[in-house]
Amino acid sequence: MKIAIFNAHDYDKRYLDRYNRQHHHELVYVDTHLDENTLVLAADAEAVCIFVNDPAPASLLKRMHHQGVRMLALRSAGFNHVDIAAANDLGIVVANVPGYSPYAVAEHAVGLILTLVRRLVRAQARIHEGNFSLDGLMGYDLHGKTVGVVGTGKIGAVFARIMRGFGCELLGYDPKENEECRKLGMRYVSFESLCRNSDIISLHCPLLPETRHLINEQAIAEMRDRVCLINTSRGGVIDTSAIIRGLKSGKIGYLGLDVYEEEENLFFEDHSDSVIGDDVFARLLTFNNVMVTGHQAFFTHEAITNIARTTLENVTEFERTGSCSNQLVAK
Ligand code: NAD
């Protein structure tokens, strides 16, 4: 099949080309985002392949359908950027890559915690200046701390297992409880109770209407003083303005973000020669207890291998059978 691959970075091309040797699809790489203006670059393609920062609303899906696109292959697990119901109505099959590496994201979340709590960035900067003073570098033991996991699916469960290894107590909040987490000793509690009783809170739920701004003014008020909050899920789960107020008041002691609600036109590109026009994001960067990474939690060799392999398998399965095991259907 001819597949137009939007937003293709060098690493996407390298890994997709390698696995396409077994599939023999015609891969057309497009460096830019998919939108109403760039869709024309997918002329004659039966499948379009996009990443998390390529929104596919109903209007764009309609135009894709007119153009003869039959499949939308996502190079991601998350699919909040696609109007799945509209795609289903149009008969465009949408497939994702579920659970390509829960370890990549869970381990990144742990990395953010250790970097923040042990003040590793500040320590490194000091050492490079020849300053070996320990003032301002005191951290705390993770052992014995209570960790709240919001969303205990594939990534949340791996994260919980790692934190259990540190000797942490585990609290969980998820409408669907995970037996694997229970076996680790996790206690499922209400969201309010998790906020009230956790020293560290890590978000691993999808972005849904009910999770948008789950971390808001009210939730922050419930949290322990100097809480460590980590978000590797989706930016929209946090109300960024509320979080800035929490940082200013000192309520939030440490903030680790791999995602940001307005990341779409910011992350994945080099803006080092221009001015960042997003004042809210710029304010976040002024706090020395905030660590931001640009949606890189998924970015490991193992994860990119699985994404390339499964994306091509999804297209091949669709080509052969007209459907796909990883097909997404609106609830
Ligand atoms: P998953 O589907 O295995 O788990 C998600 C869990 O969230 C499920 O157990 C579900 O029941 C739970 N959930 C649903 N609604 C909830 C709610 N209202 N409150 C609390 N929990 C709720 O998904 P996963 O593979 O573990 O991925 C989790 C999320 O991580 C994805 O949706 C995606 O947004 C994010 N993610 C981020 C990166 C990254 O690079 N930063 C990479 C992959 C995934």
Side-chain angles (χ1 to χ4, degrees), residues 27-39:
L27 307 186
V28 179
Y29 292 112
V30 182
D31 291 344
T32 54
H33 290 272
L34 171 68
D35 62 29
E36 307 264 340
N37 299 318
T38 60
L39 178 60

Side-chain angles (χ1 to χ4, degrees), residues 240 244 247 257 260 262 266-267 274-288 290 292:
T240 315
I244 287 174
L247 285 160
L257 300 180
Y260 168 58
E262 301 298 333
L266 196 60
F267 287 3
S274 52
V275 172
I276 290 181
D278 182 334
D279 290 347
V280 176
F281 185 74
R283 182 69 177 104
L284 272 180
L285 300 184
T286 65
F287 297 97
N288 67 9
V290 172
V292 181

Side-chain angles (χ1 to χ4, degrees), residues 102-113:
Y103 308 101
V105 183
E107 290 170 13
H108 192 81
V110 177
L112 289 173
I113 294 171

Side-chain angles (χ1 to χ4, degrees), residues 77-78 99-100 105 150-156 173-176 204-208 210-211 214 232-234 258-259 295-298:
Y100 48 79
V105 183
V150 177
T152 59
K154 289 180 280 301
I155 296 170
Y173 170 68
D174 192 315
K176 214 171 107 203
H204 299 289
C205 58
L207 177 60
L208 303 167
E210 56 272 30
T211 59
L214 184 67
T232 57
S233 65
R234 283 291 180 266
D258 184 54
V259 285
H295 208 136
Q296 76 171 78
F298 75 102

Side-chain angles (χ1 to χ4, degrees), residues 115-321:
T115 307
L116 285 162
V117 167
R118 303 307 298 268
R119 304 205 171 270
L120 298 181
V121 173
R122 183 184 269 190
Q124 194 207 21
R126 265 189 206 182
I127 298 294
H128 280 270
E129 287 201 344
N131 175 356
F132 299 92
S133 156
L134 295 182
D135 287 341
L137 296 184
M138 189 181 288
Y140 61 70
D141 292 1
L142 293 182
H143 182 90
K145 294 295 179 295
T146 300
V147 177
V149 186
V150 177
T152 59
K154 289 180 280 301
I155 296 170
V158 172
F159 173 79
R161 202 182 317 141
I162 300 170
M163 298 315 288
R164 189 73 198 115
F166 277 105
C168 296
E169 301 297 323
L170 298 172
L171 296 179
Y173 170 68
D174 192 315
K176 214 171 107 203
E177 299 186 5
N178 184 339
E179 192 47 37
E180 196 190 327
C181 291
R182 277 196 173 287
K183 283 187 188 145
L184 291 168
M186 178 179 279
R187 277 194 305 119
Y188 279 94
V189 293
S190 68
F191 178 62
E192 291 69 26
S193 175
L194 183 145
C195 289
R196 253 179 258 134
N197 296 298
S198 300
D199 302 296
I200 296 168
I201 298 174
S202 194
L203 307 176
H204 299 289
C205 58
L207 177 60
L208 303 167
E210 56 272 30
T211 59
R212 178 170 291 280
H213 288 187
L214 184 67
I215 305 297
N216 54 22
E217 201 89 50
Q218 201 185 335
I220 295 166
E222 296 282 350
M223 291 177 193
R224 286 189 170 173
D225 290 344
R226 309 281 305 148
V227 67
C228 174
L229 179 64
I230 304 294
N231 189 11
T232 57
S233 65
R234 283 291 180 266
V237 178
I238 285 184
D239 175 351
T240 315
S241 302
I243 220 83
I244 287 174
R245 286 191 287 279
L247 285 160
K248 282 167 79 177
S249 71
K251 181 82 178 172
I252 295 171
Y254 310 86
L255 176 67
L257 300 180
D258 184 54
V259 285
Y260 168 58
E261 52 183 333
E262 301 298 333
E263 71 178 49
E264 195 183 305
N265 294 314
L266 196 60
F267 287 3
F268 305 112
E269 305 297 336
D270 182 356
H271 298 285
S272 55
D273 275 336
S274 52
V275 172
I276 290 181
D278 182 334
D279 290 347
V280 176
F281 185 74
R283 182 69 177 104
L284 272 180
L285 300 184
T286 65
F287 297 97
N288 67 9
N289 53 351
V290 172
M291 168 105 197
V292 181
T293 52
H295 208 136
Q296 76 171 78
F298 75 102
F299 198 52
T300 64
H301 164 72
E302 291 78 4
I304 301 299
T305 299
N306 288 336
I307 289 173
R309 191 187 287 145
T310 308
T311 299
L312 294 170
E313 282 170 2
N314 283 345
V315 177
T316 301
E317 186 184 353
F318 171 70
E319 187 179 33
R320 287 191 186 145
T321 67

